[in-house]
Amino acid sequence: MAATALLTIGKLSAATGVKIPTIRFYEQVGLLPAPPRTASDRRLYDDAALRRLAFVRHARQLGFDLDAIRSLLDLADQPDRTCAEANRIAEQHLRDVSEKIRQLKALELELSRMTADCAGGEVSACKVIEVLQDTTCRHH
C-alpha cells in the first residue's frame, strides 16, 4: 500500500478552495485536528484532513453554523450511528433558511414599496429618505 502524500497548508488551501487563515481558524475551533508538523514547523495534512476540510467547506456553503458542523462531523466519525440526528440538524437548518427567506421577501416588498413611491424629485420629498427617517419600526 502506497504512503499517502502529505500536503502543506498552501496545497491544502489550493485543493479545497479554503483560504489559509480559515484553515488555521478551523484548527483553532476544533473542526480540523492539529496536523503533524515538520522539523521546520510546517503543517502537513493527509487525505483525511483534505476530506474533512472539504466536508466543512461544503457544509459552510450550505449555511450550516460551526456548532452544527461540529455535530455533523462527530456523527460522520461514527458511521454505525443512526442518521436521525444528522437529519434533525438539517431540518432545523431548513427551518432557519425558510424563516430567512420569509424575512428577505418582506424586506424585498418594503424596498419595492419605498422605491415605487419615489417621485424622482428633490430629497426633501424623497420617499426613500422619509421611510428611513421614520423611527416607528414597521413590520410587514
Side-chain angles (χ1 to χ4, degrees), residues 26-102:
Y26 289 159
E27 287 174 17
Q28 290 171 353
V29 299
L31 293 179
L32 282 178
R37 293 179 181 253
T38 65
S40 60
D41 206 34
R42 293 181 69 185
R43 292 169 168 90
L44 292 176
Y45 299 89
D46 60 12
D47 285 341
L50 177 76
R51 287 190 306 275
R52 191 170 183 94
L53 184 57
F55 181 105
V56 172
R57 180 175 186 254
H58 192 197
R60 290 297 292 153
Q61 287 174 327
L62 292 173
F64 285 97
D65 65 27
L66 296 181
D67 287 336
I69 294 171
R70 190 173 287 108
S71 296
L72 291 167
L73 284 167
D74 181 52
L75 290 167
D77 289 341
Q78 303 174 50
D80 293 337
R81 284 184 58 183
T82 174
C83 68
E85 180 63 14
N87 196 48
R88 187 199 63 74
I89 293 167
E91 285 174 344
Q92 179 58 54
H93 185 54
L94 176 59
R95 286 189 295 275
D96 293 345
V97 167
S98 295
E99 175 59 20
K100 286 177 187 174
I101 289 170
R102 188 196 63 74

Side-chain angles (χ1 to χ4, degrees), residues 102-115:
R102 188 196 63 74
Q103 291 173 358
L104 285 170
K105 286 181 178 179
L107 175 61
E108 178 185 41
L109 181 60
E110 182 66 19
L111 288 170
S112 293
R113 286 180 186 152
M114 191 168 54
T115 57

Side-chain angles (χ1 to χ4, degrees), residues 15-34:
T16 60
V18 177
K19 294 181 179 177
I20 291 172
T22 304
I23 295 171
R24 289 183 182 133
F25 171 74
Y26 289 159
E27 287 174 17
Q28 290 171 353
V29 299
L31 293 179
L32 282 178

Side-chain angles (χ1 to χ4, degrees), residues 104-120 125-132 138-140:
L104 285 170
K105 286 181 178 179
L107 175 61
E108 178 185 41
L109 181 60
E110 182 66 19
L111 288 170
S112 293
R113 286 180 186 152
M114 191 168 54
T115 57
D117 290 344
C118 182
C126 180
K127 200 64 172 167
V128 172
I129 300 298
E130 180 185 322
V131 169
L132 293 174
R138 296 181 302 192
H139 296 284
H140 296 278

